[in-house]
Amino acid sequence: MAIIETEAALHEAHRDNHTHRDVNGGWLRPAVFGAMDGLVSNLALMTGVAGGAVSHQTIVLSGLAGLSAGAFSMAAGEYTSVASQRELVEAELDVERRELRKHPKDEEAELAALYEARGVEPRLAKAVAEQLSRDPEVALEVHAREELGIDPGDLPSPLVAAVSSFASFALGALLPVLPYLLGATALWPAVLLALAGLFLCGAVVAKVTARSWWFSGLRQLALGGAAAGVTYALGSLFGTAVG
C-alpha cells in the first residue's frame, strides 16, 4: 500500500512539474521584438534629432512620427510575413492531403518506415501506421508532424502577429515621447525613462526564456544606450555640418 501511495505521489509531482510553456504561439516573438524595436528605434531617432540642437517641439514631432510610422510598418511586415509562411504551410498540407487520397497505402508504408527508423519493431510500426491511417484527418496531422514538423491545428495567426507588433511597438516607442507630452523640455527625462523601459523589457524577456533577469536587462540597456549615444553623436555632427 505504501508503495502504491509513493508511486501515486511521484506521478502527481511529475505531472505538476512537467508542464511546458507555449513555444509555437504567434504573439510572443512579434510582441517582444516590437517593444524592443519601438524603444530602441524611437529613442535613437529622438536623440539623433536632439543632437542637432533643435527645439523640443521638433523632437516631440519626430518621436510621434517615428511611433506612427514604425508601428504601422511593424504590423504590415508581421502580417505579410506570417501570412506568407502560413500560406506556404497550407500549400504543403494540400500536397500531403492529395497524396493521402491518391496513394493511401504508400503513405501508410512511409509512416511505418518512419517509426521503424526511430526504433519501433517493424510489425508494431506497421500496425500503428495502419491504425492511424484509418482517419484521413488524423493521418494528415501525423504526416504533417513527422514529415514537415508542424501542427496543422496550431498555425500562427497573421492578425494576432500584426496586432501584437503594432501594440508593442507603439507602447515601446511611446516611452521616450511620454516625458515631453507631460511637460518636459529637456532630453534627459526621456532618455532615463526609455533606458529604464529597456532594462524592464530585458528582465521580462528573461522570465519567459529562463535567462538571468539582471543579465538580460543590462544587455538590453547597454544595446539601447549605445544606439542612443551613437545617434546623438551623429546628430550633433550633422547638425554642425548643416548649420
Side-chain angles (χ1 to χ4, degrees):
M1 185 66 178
I3 295 176
I4 295 175
E5 290 178 353
T6 301
E7 290 179 348
L10 290 173
H11 175 73
E12 188 74 18
H14 174 75
R15 188 187 66 185
D16 292 341
N17 295 314
H18 197 71
T19 56
H20 297 282
R21 289 165 290 188
D22 179 17
V23 296
N24 293 320
W27 66 272
L28 179 59
R29 183 186 62 83
V32 171
F33 180 73
M36 295 291 191
D37 192 25
L39 268 166
V40 174
S41 63
N42 221 30
L43 174 62
L45 172 64
M46 292 174 64
T47 53
V49 172
V54 298
S55 66
H56 77 275
Q57 288 91 346
T58 303
I59 299 173
V60 174
L61 181 60
S62 299
L64 292 175
L67 185 158
S68 301
F72 282 109
S73 177
M74 284 286 294
E78 281 294 336
Y79 185 91
T80 302
S81 174
V82 175
S84 299
Q85 182 65 27
R86 185 180 180 116
E87 288 164 3
L88 174 61
V89 170
E90 289 173 345
E92 291 301 312
L93 288 175
D94 286 339
V95 171
E96 192 64 37
R97 190 177 285 109
R98 286 196 300 270
E99 288 300 310
L100 285 167
R101 186 172 60 252
K102 293 179 180 179
H103 308 289
K105 289 300 181 182
D106 291 340
E107 291 295 315
E108 182 182 316
E110 185 179 274
L111 188 59
L114 283 172
Y115 289 139
E116 284 185 46
R118 295 185 178 182
V120 179
E121 192 270 331
R123 187 164 53 183
L124 178 59
K126 182 179 180 180
V128 171
E130 181 180 356
Q131 184 172 352
L132 291 174
S133 299
R134 291 173 185 169
D135 186 332
E137 289 304 313
V138 172
L140 176 64
E141 181 178 340
V142 173
H143 279 274
R145 288 178 184 272
E146 297 293 338
E147 297 178 29
L148 303 176
I150 59 173
D151 182 355
D154 192 27
L155 299 180
S157 166
L159 183 59
V160 170
V163 171
S164 298
S165 291
F166 183 93
S168 58
F169 185 98
L171 181 61
L174 178 64
L175 284 184
V177 187
L178 192 58
Y180 285 103
L181 297 180
L182 295 177
T185 56
L187 180 64
W188 65 266
V191 173
L192 288 180
L193 183 59
L195 292 179
L198 285 168
F199 181 85
L200 180 61
C201 280
V204 169
V205 170
K207 291 295 183 181
V208 176
T209 60
R211 288 294 301 269
S212 170
W213 65 270
W214 57 267
F215 173 80
S216 183
L218 288 175
R219 178 177 60 185
Q220 197 59 40
L221 176 63
L223 292 173
V230 170
T231 53
Y232 184 86
L234 290 174
S236 299
L237 179 62
F238 294 151
T240 302
V242 172

